[in-house]
Amino acid sequence: MLLSHYQNELLEAGCDEAGRGCLAGPVFAAAVILPAGFSHPLLNDSKQLSPADRDLLRGVIEKEALHYAVASVDHAEIDKINILKASFRAMHLALEQLSRQPEFIIVDGNRFYAYGKTPFACIVKGDGKYASIAAASILAKTYRDEYMQQLHQEYPHFGWNENKGYPTRQHREALREFGESPYHRKSFRLLPDEQLELDL
């Protein structure tokens, strides 16, 4: 069972992102403020859940959360400022969009850029420990997956309906055959070093 809150004195938001390791598309982030004592038997790190369970939980979170918001930073901005800064930027944008500002923030991972003067805690594997971070991971993941489904309609040969932009074999074979799309992150190594592959 995930912990409800990191601390109980201040209004707390959980933050997480989705899509940092992708070769294409934006990075999404969510911020979620849950009611005290919130729990759900299926709630967990989004990566541990089936797509059906993620979709079910998204509905629960959007109904039960006190406040939530989802934001994204596109591939062009990622190339400009780097993926780590873009991830934090997306989290800040999500926090800004909350209808009530949190008094404390918990973030999945070991790094974060301060959001104004709001105190925060970084929690490694926090999406498997705290309900609000898990909820944020689910919203970020499901919103991003929907977006990549839309991009798939434009560029079906990359298989983004299945790989969501991650560097799968199918995705990289399509890159070799068709070249990059306008949505690919040019600052990422889209294909492994061909010379190294030949030397193996």
CSV table of all heavy atoms in Angstrom, one decimal, residues 128-185:
chain,number,residue,atom,x,y,z
A,128,GLY,N,6.5,4.6,-6.6
A,128,GLY,CA,6.2,3.3,-6.0
A,128,GLY,C,6.0,3.4,-4.5
A,128,GLY,O,5.8,2.4,-3.8
A,129,LYS,N,6.1,4.7,-4.0
A,129,LYS,CA,6.1,4.9,-2.5
A,129,LYS,C,4.9,5.8,-2.1
A,129,LYS,O,4.3,5.5,-1.0
A,129,LYS,CB,7.4,5.4,-2.0
A,129,LYS,CG,8.6,4.5,-2.3
A,129,LYS,CD,9.9,5.2,-1.9
A,129,LYS,CE,11.1,4.3,-2.2
A,129,LYS,NZ,12.4,5.0,-1.9
A,130,TYR,N,4.6,6.8,-2.9
A,130,TYR,CA,3.7,7.8,-2.4
A,130,TYR,C,2.5,7.9,-3.5
A,130,TYR,O,2.8,8.0,-4.7
A,130,TYR,CB,4.3,9.2,-2.3
A,130,TYR,CG,5.2,9.2,-1.1
A,130,TYR,CD1,6.6,8.9,-1.2
A,130,TYR,CD2,4.7,9.4,0.2
A,130,TYR,CE1,7.4,8.9,-0.1
A,130,TYR,CE2,5.5,9.4,1.3
A,130,TYR,CZ,6.9,9.1,1.2
A,130,TYR,OH,7.7,9.1,2.3
A,131,ALA,N,1.3,8.0,-2.9
A,131,ALA,CA,0.1,7.9,-3.8
A,131,ALA,C,0.1,9.1,-4.8
A,131,ALA,O,-0.3,8.9,-5.9
A,131,ALA,CB,-1.1,7.9,-2.9
A,132,SER,N,0.4,10.3,-4.3
A,132,SER,CA,0.3,11.5,-5.2
A,132,SER,C,1.3,11.4,-6.3
A,132,SER,O,1.0,11.9,-7.5
A,132,SER,CB,0.4,12.8,-4.4
A,132,SER,OG,1.7,12.9,-3.8
A,133,ILE,N,2.5,10.9,-6.1
A,133,ILE,CA,3.5,10.8,-7.2
A,133,ILE,C,3.1,9.7,-8.1
A,133,ILE,O,3.2,9.8,-9.4
A,133,ILE,CB,4.9,10.4,-6.6
A,133,ILE,CG1,5.4,11.6,-5.7
A,133,ILE,CG2,5.9,10.3,-7.8
A,133,ILE,CD1,6.8,11.3,-5.1
A,134,ALA,N,2.5,8.6,-7.6
A,134,ALA,CA,2.0,7.5,-8.5
A,134,ALA,C,0.9,8.0,-9.3
A,134,ALA,O,0.8,7.8,-10.5
A,134,ALA,CB,1.5,6.3,-7.6
A,135,ALA,N,0.0,8.8,-8.7
A,135,ALA,CA,-1.1,9.4,-9.5
A,135,ALA,C,-0.6,10.4,-10.6
A,135,ALA,O,-1.1,10.3,-11.7
A,135,ALA,CB,-2.0,10.2,-8.5
A,136,ALA,N,0.4,11.1,-10.3
A,136,ALA,CA,1.0,12.0,-11.3
A,136,ALA,C,1.7,11.2,-12.4
A,136,ALA,O,1.6,11.6,-13.6
A,136,ALA,CB,2.1,13.0,-10.6
A,137,SER,N,2.3,10.1,-12.0
A,137,SER,CA,3.0,9.3,-13.1
A,137,SER,C,1.9,8.7,-14.0
A,137,SER,O,2.1,8.6,-15.2
A,137,SER,CB,3.8,8.2,-12.4
A,137,SER,OG,3.0,7.1,-12.0
A,138,ILE,N,0.7,8.4,-13.5
A,138,ILE,CA,-0.3,7.8,-14.3
A,138,ILE,C,-0.9,8.8,-15.2
A,138,ILE,O,-1.1,8.6,-16.4
A,138,ILE,CB,-1.4,7.2,-13.4
A,138,ILE,CG1,-0.9,5.9,-12.8
A,138,ILE,CG2,-2.7,6.9,-14.2
A,138,ILE,CD1,-1.7,5.4,-11.6
A,139,LEU,N,-1.2,10.0,-14.7
A,139,LEU,CA,-1.7,11.1,-15.6
A,139,LEU,C,-0.7,11.5,-16.7
A,139,LEU,O,-1.0,11.6,-17.8
A,139,LEU,CB,-2.1,12.3,-14.8
A,139,LEU,CG,-3.2,12.2,-13.8
A,139,LEU,CD1,-3.6,13.6,-13.2
A,139,LEU,CD2,-4.5,11.5,-14.4
A,140,ALA,N,0.6,11.7,-16.3
A,140,ALA,CA,1.6,12.0,-17.3
A,140,ALA,C,1.7,11.0,-18.4
A,140,ALA,O,1.7,11.3,-19.6
A,140,ALA,CB,2.9,12.3,-16.6
A,141,LYS,N,1.7,9.7,-18.0
A,141,LYS,CA,1.9,8.6,-18.9
A,141,LYS,C,0.6,8.5,-19.8
A,141,LYS,O,0.8,8.4,-21.1
A,141,LYS,CB,2.1,7.3,-18.1
A,141,LYS,CG,2.0,6.0,-18.9
A,141,LYS,CD,3.2,5.9,-19.9
A,141,LYS,CE,3.2,4.5,-20.5
A,141,LYS,NZ,4.1,4.6,-21.7
A,142,THR,N,-0.6,8.6,-19.3
A,142,THR,CA,-1.8,8.4,-20.1
A,142,THR,C,-2.0,9.6,-21.1
A,142,THR,O,-2.4,9.4,-22.2
A,142,THR,CB,-3.0,8.1,-19.3
A,142,THR,OG1,-3.2,9.2,-18.3
A,142,THR,CG2,-2.9,6.8,-18.5
A,143,TYR,N,-1.7,10.8,-20.6
A,143,TYR,CA,-1.9,11.9,-21.5
A,143,TYR,C,-0.8,11.9,-22.6
A,143,TYR,O,-1.1,12.2,-23.7
A,143,TYR,CB,-1.7,13.2,-20.7
A,143,TYR,CG,-3.0,13.7,-20.0
A,143,TYR,CD1,-3.5,13.0,-18.9
A,143,TYR,CD2,-3.6,14.9,-20.4
A,143,TYR,CE1,-4.7,13.5,-18.3
A,143,TYR,CE2,-4.8,15.3,-19.8
A,143,TYR,CZ,-5.3,14.6,-18.8
A,143,TYR,OH,-6.4,15.1,-18.1
A,144,ARG,N,0.4,11.5,-22.3
A,144,ARG,CA,1.4,11.4,-23.3
A,144,ARG,C,1.1,10.3,-24.3
A,144,ARG,O,1.3,10.5,-25.5
A,144,ARG,CB,2.8,11.2,-22.7
A,144,ARG,CG,3.9,11.3,-23.7
A,144,ARG,CD,5.3,11.0,-23.1
A,144,ARG,NE,6.3,11.4,-24.2
A,144,ARG,CZ,6.6,10.6,-25.2
A,144,ARG,NH1,6.0,9.4,-25.4
A,144,ARG,NH2,7.4,11.0,-26.1
A,145,ASP,N,0.7,9.1,-23.8
A,145,ASP,CA,0.4,8.0,-24.7
A,145,ASP,C,-0.7,8.5,-25.7
A,145,ASP,O,-0.7,8.1,-26.9
A,145,ASP,CB,-0.1,6.8,-23.9
A,145,ASP,CG,1.1,6.1,-23.2
A,145,ASP,OD1,2.2,6.5,-23.4
A,145,ASP,OD2,0.8,5.1,-22.5
A,146,GLU,N,-1.7,9.2,-25.2
A,146,GLU,CA,-2.8,9.7,-26.1
A,146,GLU,C,-2.2,10.6,-27.2
A,146,GLU,O,-2.6,10.5,-28.3
A,146,GLU,CB,-3.8,10.5,-25.3
A,146,GLU,CG,-4.9,9.6,-24.7
A,146,GLU,CD,-6.0,10.4,-24.1
A,146,GLU,OE1,-6.0,11.7,-24.2
A,146,GLU,OE2,-6.9,9.8,-23.4
A,147,TYR,N,-1.3,11.5,-26.8
A,147,TYR,CA,-0.7,12.4,-27.7
A,147,TYR,C,0.1,11.6,-28.8
A,147,TYR,O,0.0,11.9,-30.0
A,147,TYR,CB,0.2,13.4,-27.0
A,147,TYR,CG,0.8,14.4,-27.8
A,147,TYR,CD1,0.1,15.6,-28.1
A,147,TYR,CD2,2.1,14.3,-28.4
A,147,TYR,CE1,0.7,16.6,-29.0
A,147,TYR,CE2,2.6,15.2,-29.2
A,147,TYR,CZ,1.9,16.4,-29.5
A,147,TYR,OH,2.5,17.4,-30.3
A,148,MET,N,0.9,10.6,-28.3
A,148,MET,CA,1.7,9.8,-29.3
A,148,MET,C,0.8,9.0,-30.2
A,148,MET,O,1.1,8.8,-31.4
A,148,MET,CB,2.7,8.9,-28.6
A,148,MET,CG,3.7,9.7,-27.8
A,148,MET,SD,4.7,10.9,-28.8
A,148,MET,CE,5.6,9.9,-29.9
A,149,GLN,N,-0.4,8.6,-29.8
A,149,GLN,CA,-1.4,8.0,-30.6
A,149,GLN,C,-1.8,8.9,-31.8
A,149,GLN,O,-2.0,8.5,-32.9
A,149,GLN,CB,-2.6,7.5,-29.8
A,149,GLN,CG,-2.4,6.4,-28.9
A,149,GLN,CD,-2.5,5.0,-29.6
A,149,GLN,OE1,-2.6,4.9,-30.8
A,149,GLN,NE2,-2.5,4.0,-28.7
A,150,GLN,N,-1.9,10.2,-31.4
A,150,GLN,CA,-2.3,11.2,-32.5
A,150,GLN,C,-1.2,11.3,-33.5
A,150,GLN,O,-1.4,11.4,-34.7
A,150,GLN,CB,-2.6,12.5,-31.8
A,150,GLN,CG,-3.9,12.5,-30.9
A,150,GLN,CD,-4.0,13.8,-30.1
A,150,GLN,OE1,-3.5,14.8,-30.5
A,150,GLN,NE2,-4.7,13.7,-29.0
A,151,LEU,N,0.1,11.4,-33.0
A,151,LEU,CA,1.2,11.6,-33.9
A,151,LEU,C,1.4,10.3,-34.8
A,151,LEU,O,1.8,10.5,-35.9
A,151,LEU,CB,2.5,11.8,-33.1
A,151,LEU,CG,2.6,13.2,-32.3
A,151,LEU,CD1,4.0,13.3,-31.8
A,151,LEU,CD2,2.2,14.3,-33.2
A,152,HIS,N,1.0,9.2,-34.2
A,152,HIS,CA,1.1,8.0,-35.0
A,152,HIS,C,0.2,8.0,-36.3
A,152,HIS,O,0.6,7.4,-37.3
A,152,HIS,CB,0.6,6.8,-34.2
A,152,HIS,CG,0.4,5.5,-34.9
A,152,HIS,ND1,1.5,4.8,-35.4
A,152,HIS,CD2,-0.7,4.8,-35.3
A,152,HIS,CE1,1.0,3.7,-36.0
A,152,HIS,NE2,-0.3,3.7,-36.0
A,153,GLN,N,-0.9,8.8,-36.3
A,153,GLN,CA,-1.7,8.9,-37.5
A,153,GLN,C,-0.9,9.6,-38.6
A,153,GLN,O,-1.1,9.4,-39.8
A,153,GLN,CB,-3.0,9.7,-37.1
A,153,GLN,CG,-3.8,9.2,-36.0
A,153,GLN,CD,-4.2,7.7,-36.2
A,153,GLN,OE1,-4.6,7.3,-37.3
A,153,GLN,NE2,-4.0,6.9,-35.1
A,154,GLU,N,0.0,10.5,-38.2
A,154,GLU,CA,0.8,11.2,-39.2
A,154,GLU,C,2.0,10.4,-39.7
A,154,GLU,O,2.3,10.4,-40.9
A,154,GLU,CB,1.4,12.5,-38.6
A,154,GLU,CG,0.4,13.6,-38.4
A,154,GLU,CD,1.1,14.9,-38.0
A,154,GLU,OE1,1.9,15.4,-38.7
A,154,GLU,OE2,0.8,15.3,-36.8
A,155,TYR,N,2.6,9.6,-38.8
A,155,TYR,CA,3.8,8.8,-39.1
A,155,TYR,C,3.6,7.4,-38.6
A,155,TYR,O,4.4,7.0,-37.7
A,155,TYR,CB,5.0,9.5,-38.5
A,155,TYR,CG,5.3,10.9,-39.1
A,155,TYR,CD1,4.8,12.0,-38.5
A,155,TYR,CD2,6.1,11.0,-40.2
A,155,TYR,CE1,5.1,13.3,-39.0
A,155,TYR,CE2,6.4,12.2,-40.8
A,155,TYR,CZ,5.8,13.4,-40.2
A,155,TYR,OH,6.1,14.6,-40.7
A,156,PRO,N,2.7,6.6,-39.3
A,156,PRO,CA,2.4,5.3,-38.7
A,156,PRO,C,3.6,4.3,-38.8
A,156,PRO,O,3.7,3.4,-38.0
A,156,PRO,CB,1.3,4.8,-39.6
A,156,PRO,CG,1.4,5.7,-40.9
A,156,PRO,CD,1.9,7.0,-40.4
A,157,HIS,N,4.6,4.6,-39.7
A,157,HIS,CA,5.7,3.6,-39.9
A,157,HIS,C,6.6,3.5,-38.6
A,157,HIS,O,7.3,2.5,-38.5
A,157,HIS,CB,6.5,3.9,-41.1
A,157,HIS,CG,6.9,5.3,-41.3
A,157,HIS,ND1,6.0,6.2,-42.0
A,157,HIS,CD2,7.9,6.1,-40.9
A,157,HIS,CE1,6.6,7.4,-42.0
A,157,HIS,NE2,7.7,7.3,-41.3
A,158,PHE,N,6.6,4.5,-37.7
A,158,PHE,CA,7.4,4.5,-36.5
A,158,PHE,C,6.8,3.6,-35.4
A,158,PHE,O,7.5,3.3,-34.4
A,158,PHE,CB,7.7,5.9,-36.0
A,158,PHE,CG,8.6,6.7,-36.9
A,158,PHE,CD1,8.0,7.8,-37.6
A,158,PHE,CD2,9.9,6.4,-37.2
A,158,PHE,CE1,8.8,8.6,-38.4
A,158,PHE,CE2,10.7,7.1,-38.0
A,158,PHE,CZ,10.2,8.2,-38.6
A,159,GLY,N,5.5,3.3,-35.5
A,159,GLY,CA,4.9,2.4,-34.5
A,159,GLY,C,4.7,3.1,-33.2
A,159,GLY,O,4.7,2.5,-32.1
A,160,TRP,N,4.4,4.4,-33.2
A,160,TRP,CA,4.3,5.2,-32.0
A,160,TRP,C,3.0,4.8,-31.2
A,160,TRP,O,2.9,5.1,-30.0
A,160,TRP,CB,4.3,6.7,-32.3
A,160,TRP,CG,5.6,7.2,-32.7
A,160,TRP,CD1,6.8,6.6,-32.4
A,160,TRP,CD2,5.9,8.4,-33.4
A,160,TRP,NE1,7.9,7.4,-33.0
A,160,TRP,CE2,7.3,8.5,-33.6
A,160,TRP,CE3,5.1,9.4,-34.0
A,160,TRP,CZ2,8.0,9.5,-34.2
A,160,TRP,CZ3,5.7,10.5,-34.6
A,160,TRP,CH2,7.1,10.5,-34.8
A,161,ASN,N,2.1,4.1,-31.9
A,161,ASN,CA,0.9,3.7,-31.2
A,161,ASN,C,1.3,2.6,-30.2
A,161,ASN,O,0.6,2.3,-29.2
A,161,ASN,CB,-0.2,3.1,-32.2
A,161,ASN,CG,0.4,2.0,-33.0
A,161,ASN,OD1,1.6,2.0,-33.4
A,161,ASN,ND2,-0.5,1.0,-33.4
A,162,GLU,N,2.4,1.9,-30.5
A,162,GLU,CA,2.9,0.8,-29.5
A,162,GLU,C,4.1,1.3,-28.7
A,162,GLU,O,4.1,1.1,-27.5
A,162,GLU,CB,3.2,-0.4,-30.3
A,162,GLU,CG,2.0,-1.1,-31.0
A,162,GLU,CD,2.3,-2.3,-31.8
A,162,GLU,OE1,3.5,-2.6,-31.9
A,162,GLU,OE2,1.3,-2.9,-32.3
A,163,ASN,N,5.1,1.8,-29.4
A,163,ASN,CA,6.3,2.1,-28.7
A,163,ASN,C,6.3,3.5,-28.0
A,163,ASN,O,7.2,3.9,-27.2
A,163,ASN,CB,7.6,2.0,-29.5
A,163,ASN,CG,7.6,2.9,-30.7
A,163,ASN,OD1,7.5,4.1,-30.6
A,163,ASN,ND2,7.8,2.4,-31.9
A,164,LYS,N,5.4,4.4,-28.4
A,164,LYS,CA,5.2,5.7,-27.8
A,164,LYS,C,6.4,6.6,-28.0
A,164,LYS,O,6.6,7.6,-27.2
A,164,LYS,CB,4.8,5.6,-26.3
A,164,LYS,CG,3.6,4.7,-26.1
A,164,LYS,CD,2.3,5.2,-26.8
A,164,LYS,CE,1.1,4.5,-26.4
A,164,LYS,NZ,1.1,3.0,-26.8
A,165,GLY,N,7.3,6.3,-28.9
A,165,GLY,CA,8.5,7.1,-29.1
A,165,GLY,C,9.7,6.5,-28.5
A,165,GLY,O,10.8,7.1,-28.7
A,166,TYR,N,9.6,5.4,-27.7
A,166,TYR,CA,10.8,4.8,-27.1
A,166,TYR,C,11.6,4.1,-28.1
A,166,TYR,O,11.1,3.7,-29.2
A,166,TYR,CB,10.4,3.9,-26.0
A,166,TYR,CG,10.0,4.6,-24.7
A,166,TYR,CD1,8.6,4.9,-24.5
A,166,TYR,CD2,10.9,5.0,-23.8
A,166,TYR,CE1,8.2,5.6,-23.3
A,166,TYR,CE2,10.5,5.7,-22.6
A,166,TYR,CZ,9.2,6.0,-22.4
A,166,TYR,OH,8.8,6.7,-21.3
A,167,PRO,N,12.9,3.9,-27.9
A,167,PRO,CA,13.8,3.4,-28.9
A,167,PRO,C,13.8,1.9,-29.0
A,167,PRO,O,14.7,1.1,-28.7
A,167,PRO,CB,15.2,3.8,-28.4
A,167,PRO,CG,15.1,3.9,-26.9
A,167,PRO,CD,13.7,4.4,-26.7
A,168,THR,N,12.7,1.4,-29.5
A,168,THR,CA,12.5,0.0,-29.8
A,168,THR,C,13.2,-0.4,-31.1
A,168,THR,O,13.5,0.5,-31.9
A,168,THR,CB,11.0,-0.4,-29.9
A,168,THR,OG1,10.4,0.3,-31.0
A,168,THR,CG2,10.3,-0.1,-28.6
A,169,ARG,N,13.3,-1.7,-31.4
A,169,ARG,CA,13.9,-2.1,-32.6
A,169,ARG,C,13.1,-1.6,-33.8
A,169,ARG,O,13.6,-1.1,-34.8
A,169,ARG,CB,14.0,-3.7,-32.6
A,169,ARG,CG,14.6,-4.2,-34.0
A,169,ARG,CD,14.5,-5.7,-34.0
A,169,ARG,NE,15.3,-6.3,-32.9
A,169,ARG,CZ,16.6,-6.6,-33.1
A,169,ARG,NH1,17.2,-6.4,-34.2
A,169,ARG,NH2,17.3,-7.2,-32.1
A,170,GLN,N,11.8,-1.8,-33.7
A,170,GLN,CA,10.9,-1.3,-34.8
A,170,GLN,C,11.1,0.2,-35.1
A,170,GLN,O,11.2,0.6,-36.2
A,170,GLN,CB,9.4,-1.6,-34.4
A,170,GLN,CG,8.4,-1.0,-35.4
A,170,GLN,CD,7.0,-0.8,-34.9
A,170,GLN,OE1,6.8,-0.8,-33.6
A,170,GLN,NE2,6.0,-0.6,-35.7
A,171,HIS,N,11.2,1.0,-34.0
A,171,HIS,CA,11.3,2.4,-34.2
A,171,HIS,C,12.6,2.7,-34.9
A,171,HIS,O,12.7,3.5,-35.8
A,171,HIS,CB,11.3,3.1,-32.8
A,171,HIS,CG,11.2,4.6,-32.8
A,171,HIS,ND1,11.0,5.3,-31.7
A,171,HIS,CD2,11.3,5.5,-33.8
A,171,HIS,CE1,11.0,6.6,-32.0
A,171,HIS,NE2,11.1,6.7,-33.3
A,172,ARG,N,13.7,2.1,-34.5
A,172,ARG,CA,15.0,2.4,-35.0
A,172,ARG,C,15.1,1.8,-36.5
A,172,ARG,O,15.8,2.5,-37.3
A,172,ARG,CB,16.1,1.8,-34.1
A,172,ARG,CG,16.3,2.7,-32.9
A,172,ARG,CD,17.5,2.4,-32.1
A,172,ARG,NE,18.0,3.5,-31.4
A,172,ARG,CZ,18.5,3.5,-30.2
A,172,ARG,NH1,18.5,2.4,-29.5
A,172,ARG,NH2,18.9,4.6,-29.6
A,173,GLU,N,14.5,0.7,-36.8
A,173,GLU,CA,14.5,0.2,-38.1
A,173,GLU,C,13.8,1.2,-39.1
A,173,GLU,O,14.2,1.5,-40.2
A,173,GLU,CB,13.9,-1.2,-38.2
A,173,GLU,CG,14.8,-2.2,-37.7
A,173,GLU,CD,14.2,-3.6,-37.6
A,173,GLU,OE1,13.0,-3.7,-37.9
A,173,GLU,OE2,14.9,-4.6,-37.3
A,174,ALA,N,12.7,1.8,-38.5
A,174,ALA,CA,11.9,2.8,-39.3
A,174,ALA,C,12.8,4.0,-39.5
A,174,ALA,O,12.7,4.7,-40.6
A,174,ALA,CB,10.6,3.1,-38.7
A,175,LEU,N,13.6,4.4,-38.5
A,175,LEU,CA,14.4,5.6,-38.7
A,175,LEU,C,15.5,5.3,-39.7
A,175,LEU,O,15.8,6.2,-40.5
A,175,LEU,CB,15.1,5.9,-37.3
A,175,LEU,CG,14.4,6.8,-36.3
A,175,LEU,CD1,15.0,6.6,-34.9
A,175,LEU,CD2,14.4,8.2,-36.8
A,176,ARG,N,16.0,4.1,-39.8
A,176,ARG,CA,17.0,3.8,-40.8
A,176,ARG,C,16.4,3.9,-42.2
A,176,ARG,O,17.0,4.3,-43.2
A,176,ARG,CB,17.6,2.4,-40.6
A,176,ARG,CG,18.6,2.3,-39.4
A,176,ARG,CD,19.3,1.0,-39.4
A,176,ARG,NE,20.3,0.9,-38.3
A,176,ARG,CZ,20.0,0.4,-37.1
A,176,ARG,NH1,18.8,-0.1,-36.9
A,176,ARG,NH2,20.9,0.4,-36.2
A,177,GLU,N,15.1,3.4,-42.3
A,177,GLU,CA,14.5,3.3,-43.6
A,177,GLU,C,13.9,4.7,-44.1
A,177,GLU,O,14.1,5.0,-45.3
A,177,GLU,CB,13.4,2.3,-43.6
A,177,GLU,CG,12.7,2.1,-44.9
A,177,GLU,CD,11.7,0.9,-44.9
A,177,GLU,OE1,11.6,0.2,-43.9
A,177,GLU,OE2,11.0,0.8,-45.9
A,178,PHE,N,13.3,5.4,-43.2
A,178,PHE,CA,12.6,6.6,-43.6
A,178,PHE,C,13.2,7.9,-43.1
A,178,PHE,O,12.8,9.0,-43.5
A,178,PHE,CB,11.1,6.6,-43.0
A,178,PHE,CG,10.3,5.4,-43.5
A,178,PHE,CD1,10.1,4.3,-42.6
A,178,PHE,CD2,9.8,5.4,-44.7
A,178,PHE,CE1,9.4,3.2,-43.1
A,178,PHE,CE2,9.0,4.3,-45.2
A,178,PHE,CZ,8.8,3.2,-44.3
A,179,GLY,N,14.2,7.8,-42.2
A,179,GLY,CA,14.8,9.0,-41.7
A,179,GLY,C,14.0,9.6,-40.5
A,179,GLY,O,12.9,9.1,-40.2
A,180,GLU,N,14.4,10.7,-40.0
A,180,GLU,CA,13.7,11.2,-38.8
A,180,GLU,C,12.5,12.0,-39.2
A,180,GLU,O,12.4,12.6,-40.4
A,180,GLU,CB,14.7,12.1,-38.0
A,180,GLU,CG,15.2,13.3,-38.7
A,180,GLU,CD,16.3,14.0,-37.9
A,180,GLU,OE1,17.2,13.3,-37.5
A,180,GLU,OE2,16.2,15.2,-37.7
A,181,SER,N,11.5,12.2,-38.3
A,181,SER,CA,10.3,13.0,-38.5
A,181,SER,C,10.6,14.4,-37.9
A,181,SER,O,11.5,14.6,-37.2
A,181,SER,CB,9.1,12.3,-37.8
A,181,SER,OG,9.2,12.5,-36.4
A,182,PRO,N,9.7,15.3,-38.2
A,182,PRO,CA,9.8,16.6,-37.5
A,182,PRO,C,9.6,16.5,-36.0
A,182,PRO,O,10.0,17.5,-35.3
A,182,PRO,CB,8.6,17.4,-38.1
A,182,PRO,CG,8.3,16.7,-39.4
A,182,PRO,CD,8.6,15.3,-39.2
A,183,TYR,N,9.1,15.4,-35.5
A,183,TYR,CA,8.9,15.3,-34.0
A,183,TYR,C,10.0,14.6,-33.3
A,183,TYR,O,10.0,14.5,-32.1
A,183,TYR,CB,7.6,14.5,-33.8
A,183,TYR,CG,6.4,15.2,-34.3
A,183,TYR,CD1,5.8,14.7,-35.5
A,183,TYR,CD2,5.8,16.3,-33.8
A,183,TYR,CE1,4.6,15.3,-36.0
A,183,TYR,CE2,4.7,16.9,-34.3
A,183,TYR,CZ,4.1,16.4,-35.4
A,183,TYR,OH,3.0,17.0,-36.0
A,184,HIS,N,11.1,14.2,-34.0
A,184,HIS,CA,12.2,13.5,-33.3
A,184,HIS,C,13.1,14.6,-32.6
A,184,HIS,O,13.2,15.7,-33.1
A,184,HIS,CB,13.0,12.7,-34.3
A,184,HIS,CG,12.5,11.4,-34.6
A,184,HIS,ND1,11.6,11.1,-35.7
A,184,HIS,CD2,12.5,10.2,-33.9
A,184,HIS,CE1,11.3,9.8,-35.6
A,184,HIS,NE2,11.8,9.3,-34.5
A,185,ARG,N,13.7,14.1,-31.5
A,185,ARG,CA,14.6,14.9,-30.7
A,185,ARG,C,16.0,14.9,-31.3
A,185,ARG,O,16.7,13.9,-31.2
A,185,ARG,CB,14.6,14.5,-29.3
A,185,ARG,CG,13.2,14.5,-28.7
A,185,ARG,CD,13.2,13.8,-27.3
A,185,ARG,NE,11.9,13.8,-26.7
A,185,ARG,CZ,11.6,13.2,-25.5
A,185,ARG,NH1,12.6,12.6,-24.8
A,185,ARG,NH2,10.4,13.2,-25.0
